[in-house]
Amino acid sequence: MFEETGGESDEVSRRGFRLRSTEESCVISGLKVPTEVGLCCAASMASGEKKRRTEEENREFNQDWTELFAFICNTDGLPTCLICHEKFAHNKKSNLERHFTTKHTQFAGKYPTGDARKKAVEEFRKKQQQSSSMLSNWAQSSNNVNLASFAISLEIAKRGKPFSDGEYIKDCFIRASEELFRDFKNKAEIMKKIKDLSLSAKTVQDRTAKMS
C-alpha cells in the first residue's frame, strides 16, 4: 500500500503494513502525497482497528451460543464452558467456536446441532446448577473454613484432577499467604484459618461425593 519514493527514508510500523516515506512525500496506492498525509492515513487505520477490537470486547453474551457451543453467561456477564468450565474474558463468538470445535470434537460429533445437542447441553446446565445450589446450601450451614474446603474440592472435581491435589493446593495457599498478608495486623488469624482447611485426598473425595 505504501511505497518508497527514493532518497533517505523513515520506516513507520503499523498494524498489518509498513509505511515507507521520504522526508517530503510517500506513495499511497500509487498516489504521491505529503508524508504527513500518509502518516495520518496510517494512524487512522490503526485507530479503526483499535475501535473494532474495543467493540468486540464489549459485546454482550448471545444466548444462542449456549446451544451452539455449550457456553453459558456467568455472573460477570462473560462466557463459561459447560463442558470443561473454562472461562473467557470476552464475549467473542469466534473464540467460543474455536474452543468448542478444537477441544470438544467428541461432544460435537456425538450431539450434532438440533434436539440432541439441545438436550445434552441442558443436562450439563442442570448439573452446573445443582453443584452451585449444593455449594450454596453448604454455605448456609457451614463455617467459612468448611465452605472454602468445599469450594476447592468442587474446582478439583470440575477439572478432573486427582483428589490428592487438595494438599498441594493448601501448601501453595499457605506459602503464598505468608507473603500476601505479611503486613496485615490479623495475619496470624488469617493463617490459622488457611491451615485449618481440610483438604486431604479422603476429605476432597467425600466433599465431591456430597456435591454430586
Side-chain angles (χ1 to χ4, degrees):
M1 180 179 290
F2 295 91
E3 301 174 2
E4 184 179 359
T5 59
E8 295 296 326
S9 65
D10 296 321
E11 185 172 312
V12 183
S13 296
R14 293 287 183 262
R15 289 185 63 82
F17 61 86
R18 293 179 184 277
L19 165 65
R20 295 184 66 84
S21 66
T22 64
E23 295 178 355
E24 298 179 352
S25 64
C26 64
V27 176
I28 305 178
S29 299
L31 179 64
K32 187 175 181 180
V33 298
T35 298
E36 290 80 2
V37 175
L39 289 171
C40 286
C41 289
S44 178
M45 293 176 70
S47 177
E49 286 290 332
K50 183 177 180 181
K51 182 179 179 181
R52 282 192 291 274
R53 290 199 305 274
T54 300
E55 289 175 349
E56 288 178 349
E57 291 173 0
N58 293 333
R59 61 167 59 113
E60 295 182 354
F61 182 85
N62 188 328
Q63 296 300 326
D64 292 340
W65 297 342
T66 298
E67 183 178 336
L68 288 173
F69 313 125
F71 272 85
I72 57 171
C73 181
N74 62 29
T75 54
D76 296 323
L78 297 172
T80 299
C81 180
L82 281 169
I83 302 174
C84 66
H85 308 288
E86 184 171 341
K87 299 177 182 179
F88 283 68
H90 304 295
N91 285 310
K92 192 173 181 181
K93 179 181 178 181
S94 58
N95 289 347
L96 274 58
E97 184 175 13
R98 180 167 56 252
H99 172 88
F100 182 73
T101 56
T102 57
K103 293 193 174 183
H104 303 303
T105 52
Q106 186 175 357
F107 178 88
K110 186 176 181 180
Y111 304 105
T113 303
D115 289 340
R117 171 79 59 81
K118 188 174 183 178
K119 290 179 180 178
V121 169
E122 188 59 31
E123 284 299 315
F124 273 111
R125 189 203 289 268
K126 286 180 180 179
K127 288 180 180 179
Q128 190 271 340
Q129 291 174 341
Q130 287 171 355
S131 295
S132 298
S133 176
M134 182 68 72
L135 191 58
S136 176
N137 290 337
W138 276 102
Q140 298 174 9
S141 59
S142 304
N143 60 39
N144 291 340
V145 173
N146 282 337
L147 178 58
S149 176
F150 272 98
I152 293 173
S153 298
L154 178 60
E155 292 304 314
I156 290 174
K158 280 183 178 180
R159 288 162 174 74
K161 300 298 183 181
F163 297 137
S164 56
D165 275 10
E167 290 288 358
Y168 165 72
I169 293 172
K170 180 179 177 179
D171 289 342
C172 291
F173 199 4
I174 291 174
R175 289 179 178 276
S177 297
E178 288 286 355
E179 302 302 326
L180 285 172
F181 306 114
R182 179 180 295 277
D183 300 323
F184 282 54
K185 293 181 179 179
N186 62 335
K187 177 185 174 183
E189 181 183 352
I190 295 173
M191 295 305 301
K192 182 179 184 306
K193 284 185 174 293
I194 296 172
K195 290 175 181 179
D196 285 344
L197 275 171
S198 181
L199 289 171
S200 66
K202 185 178 185 307
T203 298
V204 173
Q205 184 177 14
D206 290 343
R207 300 275 198 255
T208 302
K210 289 179 179 179
M211 291 185 289
S212 61

